[in-house]
Structure formats: structure tokens, C-alpha cells
């Protein structure tokens, strides 16, 4: 039985006081009454303050991490450092990191292994561009990313990973895939995981949809049993919207 997971990617938003205030609001509005896992991913600078709140319902994670354990890597933040500030999750391979910062599947794979070793669950993002969708390459692209990102990760660790299917053309654009289209790709991801691992492992891995999710469209995705929640960008920055997504999911 998979517990759906709704995660908020705050991106480059929220100062420390703003992050603390939003977390307080979320915790109060949700009031423990959720059968979903709820995760927020603030900036690195706010993680320690969020940890200090001692939230019960809302977990926190990071938006990225280093592909190295320690050493001369100026500006990087390691898995152990994230664990230190209470992170239970880390988003890896977000399309913005892939496109703007050149993050490769090889780096995603290395980071995922390091995260798992520090007891942090990776949320691995995969997704196609509009051109790739139009030329019928969606499944090849997404399943290729998935295969490279999970390369060499053993079955116990694989079961702890969350996959986020995020069609790039739907991120921050107000465009969403239809529930049916998202489900088609997500079902293909699950079938591929069964090939890479086994049917039980594939059935245990949570796969989210991401791309312009709002309170008024989350149901369209959650209707499909293979879709286990959402990775939310813009709508995770306001307490009422994010709580609306959790409650409607
Ligand atoms: C995201 O950045 O992961 C995302 C899904 O953003 P948005 O919800 O704003 O489309």
C-alpha cells in the first residue's frame, strides 16, 4: 500500500522568516489530519530554522545536493549536512537543474546513492520537452532517464526512492498534462521499474505527477491509482493553495 506524497518545491523563494511563517501556517491548517505524506523543500538557508520548528505533520527536504561527500567543492552542500538539518527528502534531477545547471543523469545517480546512504529519500524528476512529446519520444526519453538515474541502485534502496514525472512543458506554465496522459507515462514508468527490479518493488515505489498542479486539478490526477501524489512548484508557496492540494488529493 503506497502512501501518497505531496511535496512542495519552493525553488528560489522565501527568506528564513517567510519560510518559518509558511511552515507554521501549513502545520496549523493541516492539524495532523492527513493520510498523505506532506513535504516542503525550502532553500538551504531556511532548513535549519524549519527543523527547529519541530513540525509533526510537515516534513522537509532540500532542492538539490552535492555529488560529493566532502572536500574542496566550494558552494556545495552534502547529504550528511542535509541530514544534519533534518531533511528526509531531496529533489534530484529537476528539469531546471538539468537545463540551467547541466545536471546529468550520471550526477543524479551519484547524488541519489549518496542521499540514500545518509538516509535521505531522493525525489527523482524525469520528464520530456514539448518537442520530444510532439515527436512521439516521451516514453523513450523518460524511461531512458529513469534507467540511468536508477543505475546500480539495489532493490532495497530503489524502494525508498520517489519518482516525479514532470513534463517540462507543464512546469510553471499553467499547462497540465491530462490525467490520462500523465497516467499513461506513469504506468510506463512503473512497468519499467518492474523490469529493472521486480513487480513487488515496482508496486511499492511512489510516482508523483508534477506540472502546474493546483487545488482545482489535483483530483484529475489522483483518480488514477498509479499516480501517488504531486510535486508542486508555484502553488506550494501559499498555505491555502498547498493545503487545498493536500486536502483535495
Ligand atoms: C516544479 O517546479 O516541480 C513544478 C511542478 O512547478 P509548477 O507546479 O509551478 O508547475
Amino acid at each position: 500500500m503506497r502512501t501518497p506524497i505531496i511535496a512542495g518545491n519552493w525553488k528560489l523563494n522565501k527568506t528564513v522568516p517567510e519560510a518559518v511563517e509558511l511552515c507554521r501556517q501549513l502545520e496549523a491548517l493541516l492539524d495532523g489530519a492527513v493520510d498523505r505524506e506532506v513535504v516542503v523543500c525550502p532553500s538551504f538557508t531556511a532548513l535549519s530554522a524549519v527543523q527547529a520548528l519541530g513540525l509533526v505533520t510537515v516534513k522537509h527536504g532540500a532542492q538539490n545536493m552535492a555529488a560529493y561527500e566532502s572536500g574542496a567543492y566550494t558552494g556545495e552542500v552534502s547529504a550528511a549536512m542535509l541530514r544534519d538539518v533534518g531533511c528526509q527528502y531531496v529533489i534530484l534531477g529537476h528539469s531546471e537543474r538539468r537545463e540551467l545547471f547541466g545536471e546529468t543523469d550520471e550526477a543524479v545517480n551519484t547524488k541519489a546513492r549518496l542521499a540514500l546512504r545518509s538516509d535521505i529519500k531522493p525525489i527523482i524528476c524525469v520528464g520530456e520537452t514539448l518537442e520530444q512529446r510532439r515527436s512521439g519520444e516521451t516514453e523513450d526519453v523518460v524511461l531512458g532517464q529513469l534507467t540511468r538515474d536508477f543505475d546500480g541502485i539495489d532493490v532495497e534502496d530503489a524502494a525508498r526512492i520517489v519518482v516525479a514525472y514532470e513534463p517540462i512543458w507543464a512546469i510553471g506554465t499553467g499547462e497540465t498534462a491530462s490525467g490520462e496522459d500523465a497516467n499513461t507515462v506513469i504506468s510506463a514508468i512503473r512497468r519499467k521499474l518492474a523490469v529493472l527490479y521486480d513487480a513487488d518493488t515496482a508496486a511499492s515505489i511512489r510516482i508523483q505527477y508534477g506540472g502546474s498542479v493546483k487545488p482545482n486539478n489535483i483530483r484529475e490526477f489522483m483518480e488514477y491509482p498509479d499516480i501517488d501524489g504531486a510535486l508542486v512548484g508555484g502553488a506550494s508557496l501559499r498555505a491555502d493553495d498547498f493545503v487545498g492540494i493536500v486536502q483535495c488529493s
Side-chain angles (χ1 to χ4, degrees):
M1 191 54 190
R2 302 185 298 267
T3 303
I5 172 168
I6 309 292
N9 174 12
W10 292 2
K11 310 191 185 188
L12 185 52
N13 294 290
K14 305 287 178 195
T15 61
V16 174
E18 287 168 349
V20 164
E21 177 56 22
L22 179 51
C23 284
R24 283 210 177 103
Q25 288 174 356
L26 294 174
E27 185 81 359
L29 288 167
L30 291 168
D31 197 20
V34 281
D35 54 2
R36 271 72 180 110
E37 214 172 340
V38 180
V39 181
V40 294
C41 298
S43 300
F44 288 137
T45 50
L47 291 171
S48 184
V50 169
Q51 179 189 33
L53 293 171
L55 305 177
V56 175
T57 306
V58 179
K59 298 175 178 169
H60 61 281
Q63 301 170 20
N64 181 32
M65 56 167 263
Y68 309 96
E69 266 178 300
S70 64
Y73 301 104
T74 302
E76 293 291 300
V77 176
S78 72
M81 291 167 182
L82 295 183
R83 192 64 228 175
D84 236 12
V85 289
C87 287
Q88 296 189 41
Y89 287 91
V90 62
I91 299 171
L92 297 177
H94 190 279
S95 58
E96 288 154 13
R97 295 220 59 88
R98 291 180 189 264
E99 283 189 346
L100 304 174
F101 302 99
E103 185 157 79
T104 61
D105 286 314
E106 192 187 15
V108 171
N109 177 260
T110 302
K111 292 178 183 191
R113 291 159 183 257
L114 289 170
L116 289 160
R117 220 188 287 161
S118 286
D119 206 18
I120 296 174
K121 299 185 190 86
I123 298 175
I124 294 183
C125 304
V126 292
E128 82 286 3
T129 63
L130 193 54
E131 297 70 51
Q132 289 164 334
R133 166 157 291 243
R134 287 191 175 138
S135 55
E137 294 172 73
T138 298
E139 288 192 16
D140 280 353
V141 169
V142 167
L143 302 185
Q145 289 174 328
L146 188 82
T147 305
R148 293 186 291 274
D149 296 346
F150 275 73
D151 185 41
I153 293 179
D154 69 26
V155 67
E156 284 82 23
D157 278 344
R160 296 157 62 209
I161 294 175
V162 176
V163 178
Y165 167 56
E166 298 207 308
I168 296 170
W169 47 272
I171 296 179
T173 58
E175 299 260 336
T176 57
S178 67
E180 195 182 342
D181 284 347
N183 185 58
T184 301
V185 181
I186 285 175
S187 300
I189 291 173
R190 205 175 293 290
R191 285 195 302 277
K192 185 68 181 180
L193 288 168
V195 173
L196 294 175
Y197 294 97
D198 55 70
D200 285 351
T201 305
S204 72
I205 293 177
R206 292 176 295 176
I207 310 175
Q208 304 171 299
Y209 168 75
S212 298
V213 170
K214 305 277 182 289
N216 65 7
N217 62 22
I218 180 70
R219 278 212 184 101
E220 181 182 345
F221 301 101
M222 296 303 288
E223 263 174 30
Y224 292 89
D226 258 336
I227 303 183
D228 302 314
L231 180 57
V232 184
S236 69
L237 296 172
R238 284 177 46 97
D240 50 355
D241 286 340
F242 194 57
V243 166
I245 290 171
V246 173
Q247 289 174 339
C248 295
S249 68

